Amino acid sequence: MRHILVFAKTPYAKTPYDQWLAGSGIVPVVVTAREYAESYSHLPHVHAFDAYDTNQLVEKTALRLAREFAVEAVFARAEADVVRAAQLRELLGLPGQHTASALAFRDKVVMKDHLADGPVDVPAYRRLDSAYTALEFVVEHGYPVVIKPVSESGSLGAAIIRDEAELDAYLASPWRGTSEIEVFVPGQMYHVDGLVADGEVVFVHPFRYLNDCLSFRSNDWVANLPLTRQDPEYDRLVKAARAVLAELPTPPHTAFHAEFWITPDDRLVFCEIASRTGGGMISALVRQAFGMDLDKAWLYAECGLTPTPATHGYRPAGALCIPPQNGVLERLPTAAEQPECVREVMVTGRAGQEFHGGVKSGLFLAGYVVGGDSEEEVAANLERVAGWFSDTSRWRPAPSSGGIA
């Protein structure tokens, strides 16, 4: 019997590793967060932890299990696990992404250091080691600037600083961790998602955001819509993603999620890239639109198996993530009520649960993949489903809030 160690910071319904590996002779040994433990409880080897992201017993247990089961590979699809998985592979001499590569895809300053003199435009940036650095950067580049953690995902902790008053407010209560400062880039944001297997880009496709990555700040929805091959930005975004992967120490097998702006003066500017699948409903969208399960294909590549091919050609689709409001959720819309354009649903909350608004762009209360006969119809259906959800869900103020949700 062969074994693979899996860092599983996802519910089983999203990543059924045993089903994916059925018939391969490979058994997953799962390390997961406490909240997902029950969903994996039918598997023979599951170890769950509280405070999963920062609990260093995760690493200790993973090392013990990797040695005990003589695992052949380590798989990790969550941003929090990228470095810990790479360090474990390196320690045990296992194939896959090692630490230097993981840091280049995880630390936004290391990432931009690799790309600064390359073929893709990178905004001016600096590692933010003190308030003095922020002040010097503003003198050199002016406002607005963006300050964000170097290693968070989903726009968590990102702040747009437009003037001195906003800088003072930030400095009075800064992000508690290592950050970077960079010039603010205006424009439409796009993302490019894909898969590298055996050192080759075997799938790549660009998408545009409807609303943007910071919509969760106002408890508003964000959506993803694939570009058609006829879109004037399609080729330049694919070319930019390939160029970024070529400049970075890209591992032989990885999913990737890259973000770019196209500015009002038509410059394509790099934002960031991650060596993992995109958050939110992006994996579900790729599966519905292109017939490819990026997570499953990536897992196969890491295990030395042939990635499963796409099951169908392109079908127009889009993904929608709706964050919670502030208050207690009284009612969720039911499946029987949902518009006929909905193809896939993921709900992460329940009636009676108290929420405190959006936390980060990749986390949501309800996620939908919707279809249509054309990209224009899909875009309209995304707005339609967002409006339907708002109209049919019900909230009441939380006992402690004293306000209206």
Tab-separated table of all heavy atoms in Angstrom, residues 166-174 176:
chain	number	residue	atom	x	y	z
A	166	GLU	N	-5.208	58.915	6.399
A	166	GLU	CA	-5.371	57.465	6.341
A	166	GLU	C	-4.068	56.754	6.709
A	166	GLU	O	-4.089	55.688	7.326
A	166	GLU	CB	-5.841	57.041	4.950
A	166	GLU	CG	-7.277	57.466	4.672
A	166	GLU	CD	-7.813	56.915	3.364
A	166	GLU	OE1	-7.030	56.295	2.603
A	166	GLU	OE2	-9.019	57.098	3.087
A	167	LEU	N	-2.927	57.345	6.346
A	167	LEU	CA	-1.648	56.765	6.758
A	167	LEU	C	-1.506	56.838	8.273
A	167	LEU	O	-1.072	55.868	8.917
A	167	LEU	CB	-0.486	57.488	6.082
A	167	LEU	CG	0.913	56.962	6.438
A	167	LEU	CD1	1.059	55.494	6.047
A	167	LEU	CD2	1.993	57.805	5.775
A	168	ASP	N	-1.881	57.969	8.875
A	168	ASP	CA	-1.810	58.087	10.334
A	168	ASP	C	-2.692	57.035	11.010
A	168	ASP	O	-2.293	56.416	12.007
A	168	ASP	CB	-2.261	59.491	10.773
A	168	ASP	CG	-1.230	60.563	10.450
A	168	ASP	OD1	-0.107	60.195	10.038
A	168	ASP	OD2	-1.556	61.747	10.602
A	169	ALA	N	-3.883	56.839	10.460
A	169	ALA	CA	-4.788	55.839	11.037
A	169	ALA	C	-4.182	54.446	10.940
A	169	ALA	O	-4.279	53.642	11.876
A	169	ALA	CB	-6.136	55.888	10.332
A	170	TYR	N	-3.542	54.155	9.806
A	170	TYR	CA	-2.908	52.839	9.653
A	170	TYR	C	-1.749	52.682	10.638
A	170	TYR	O	-1.617	51.653	11.304
A	170	TYR	CB	-2.399	52.637	8.223
A	170	TYR	CG	-1.671	51.313	8.066
A	170	TYR	CD1	-2.375	50.155	7.788
A	170	TYR	CD2	-0.293	51.223	8.266
A	170	TYR	CE1	-1.732	48.936	7.692
A	170	TYR	CE2	0.358	50.006	8.176
A	170	TYR	CZ	-0.368	48.866	7.887
A	170	TYR	OH	0.288	47.659	7.813
A	171	LEU	N	-0.905	53.694	10.734
A	171	LEU	CA	0.277	53.604	11.599
A	171	LEU	C	-0.118	53.495	13.072
A	171	LEU	O	0.618	52.931	13.882
A	171	LEU	CB	1.186	54.812	11.384
A	171	LEU	CG	1.838	54.903	10.000
A	171	LEU	CD1	2.643	56.194	9.884
A	171	LEU	CD2	2.731	53.700	9.724
A	172	ALA	N	-1.289	54.024	13.411
A	172	ALA	CA	-1.738	53.925	14.801
A	172	ALA	C	-2.167	52.506	15.158
A	172	ALA	O	-2.153	52.119	16.330
A	172	ALA	CB	-2.900	54.893	15.045
A	173	SER	N	-2.542	51.721	14.144
A	173	SER	CA	-2.979	50.346	14.386
A	173	SER	C	-2.593	49.483	13.198
A	173	SER	O	-3.428	49.060	12.414
A	173	SER	CB	-4.493	50.294	14.597
A	173	SER	OG	-4.906	48.977	14.900
A	174	PRO	N	-1.300	49.203	13.028
A	174	PRO	CA	-0.824	48.510	11.827
A	174	PRO	C	-1.162	47.032	11.830
A	174	PRO	O	-1.546	46.461	12.852
A	174	PRO	CB	0.694	48.712	11.896
A	174	PRO	CG	0.976	48.776	13.364
A	174	PRO	CD	-0.211	49.502	13.961
A	176	ARG	N	-0.409	43.352	12.215
A	176	ARG	CA	0.563	42.716	13.105
A	176	ARG	C	1.277	41.590	12.370
A	176	ARG	O	0.925	40.431	12.445
A	176	ARG	CB	-0.134	42.174	14.353
A	176	ARG	CG	-0.810	43.251	15.180
A	176	ARG	CD	0.170	44.333	15.623
A	176	ARG	NE	-0.503	45.376	16.402
A	176	ARG	CZ	0.098	46.485	16.810
A	176	ARG	NH1	1.354	46.714	16.488
A	176	ARG	NH2	-0.568	47.387	17.507
